[in-house]
Amino acid sequence: EAGVAQSPRYKIIEKRQSVAFWCNPISGHATLYWYQQILGQGPKLLIQFQNNGVVDDSQLPKDRFSAERLKGVDSTLKIQPAKLEDSAVYLCASSLRLGQSYEQYFGPGTRLTVT
Amino acid sequence: AQSVTQPDIHITVSEGASLELRCNYSYGATPYLFWYVQSPGQGLQLLLKYFSGDTLVQGIKGFEAEFKRSQSSFNLRKPSVHWSDAAEYFCAVGARGNEKLTFGTGTRLTIIP
């Protein structure tokens, strides 16, 4: 079974530029999560989807971050414009369905450096 | 609001020695508790989870954890560590219903020969 795929693995941009990350969850997983992991900290949930609907985006900085999950499969997270403090690893995770397994499977992450 | 504290930022253990990583949580009801491991450049892998029932939970790679409600703790243990166990370990608490995970800041484990 293929795991959660993310691309790119690394990205370096200058502040005020825009960037997008892509995630392909495990086949059949209805729930998808985006986390931000700043160096030295644990992952922090940014947004949670169930199929193509948003369940929780309370910690997403909506003035600069946006995310979508078209057709309930792949997802894209965008930052525009980027700030220095956005430097982090962005992790995507998926799970079977809310309330069923509570087991999240994580992708390898995208390491973003903003200079 | 739920929260997790991992008081040890970095632990060094000799290969073959026993290991205990501490985790304390705050949650208004009976929590769902998890331990994840993260190797350099990789995503998080689930080691074990506690939902209910037996308070001693067995996981992969020889790890176990014990849920102690009176101490609000969920410490991870392994009787004999291997060099391949060197990694970052994260404890997390999950909210029932929405599966939202709150992670601790992690404990970095170093193994010395």
Side-chain angles (χ1 to χ4, degrees), chain A residues 9 33 35 37 40-43 45 48 55-56 58-59 91 95 97-104 106-108, chain B residues 32 34 36 38 40-46 49 51 88 90 94-106:
Chain A
R9 292 295 310 276
Y33 313 78
Y35 290 85
Q37 185 177 17
Q41 299 182 18
L45 180 68
Q48 178 185 19
V55 175
D56 185 341
S58 58
Q59 298 193 86
L91 296 165
S95 66
R97 185 169 297 277
L98 280 180
Q100 286 199 348
S101 69
Y102 286 85
E103 182 166 346
Q104 297 183 23
F106 285 79
Chain B
Y32 289 165
F34 306 81
Y36 283 85
Q38 186 176 36
Q42 298 189 22
L44 282 76
Q45 180 184 21
L46 181 66
K49 59 188 177 185
F51 288 172
E88 188 95 19
F90 292 93
R96 290 175 181 260
N98 65 18
E99 298 193 26
K100 179 178 176 179
L101 291 182
T102 299
F103 285 85
T105 51

Side-chain angles (χ1 to χ4, degrees), chain A residues 4-93:
Chain A
V4 176
Q6 291 187 247
S7 68
R9 292 295 310 276
Y10 305 91
K11 190 75 176 179
I12 301 174
I13 62 172
E14 295 181 352
K15 59 183 179 183
R16 292 188 289 274
Q17 287 186 325
S18 63
V19 64
F21 312 128
W22 174 82
C23 173
N24 179 241
I26 292 173
S27 177
H29 280 195
T31 313
L32 185 146
Y33 313 78
W34 282 102
Y35 290 85
Q36 180 192 57
Q37 185 177 17
I38 293 173
L39 186 65
Q41 299 182 18
K44 182 185 80 171
L45 180 68
L46 292 176
I47 189 167
Q48 178 185 19
F49 292 94
Q50 173 76 354
N51 296 313
N52 59 355
V54 175
V55 175
D56 185 341
D57 64 356
S58 58
Q59 298 193 86
L60 187 73
K62 299 180 185 63
D63 58 332
R64 298 183 301 105
F65 286 64
S66 64
E68 60 182 7
R69 191 181 183 198
L70 300 176
K71 301 181 181 179
V73 182
D74 293 4
S75 177
T76 302
L77 177 69
K78 297 179 181 178
I79 307 175
Q80 183 179 11
K83 293 185 176 181
L84 295 177
E85 58 261 35
D86 297 333
S87 293
V89 175
Y90 291 85
L91 296 165
C92 179

Side-chain angles (χ1 to χ4, degrees), chain B residues 3-101:
Chain B
S3 67
V4 175
T5 300
Q6 293 182 250
D8 303 306
I9 296 174
H10 184 205
I11 285 182
T12 300
V13 178
S14 298
E15 191 168 14
S18 63
L19 170 71
E20 183 169 27
L21 302 182
R22 296 184 291 167
C23 171
N24 293 97
Y25 68 89
S26 174
Y27 187 66
T30 301
Y32 289 165
L33 294 163
F34 306 81
W35 275 100
Y36 283 85
V37 60
Q38 186 176 36
S39 298
Q42 298 189 22
L44 282 76
Q45 180 184 21
L46 181 66
L47 287 175
L48 47 78
K49 59 188 177 185
Y50 170 80
F51 288 172
S52 64
D54 193 347
T55 56
L56 185 62
V57 180
Q58 301 297 320
I60 63 171
K61 304 185 180 186
F63 286 93
E64 66 178 26
E66 186 171 12
F67 170 60
K68 293 185 177 181
R69 184 188 303 274
S70 61
Q71 298 177 21
S72 297
S73 69
F74 189 57
N75 294 349
L76 182 71
R77 300 193 295 248
K78 187 171 185 178
S80 177
V81 298
H82 185 262
W83 64 266
S84 60
D85 293 325
E88 188 95 19
Y89 290 80
F90 292 93
C91 181
V93 60
R96 290 175 181 260
N98 65 18
E99 298 193 26
K100 179 178 176 179
L101 291 182

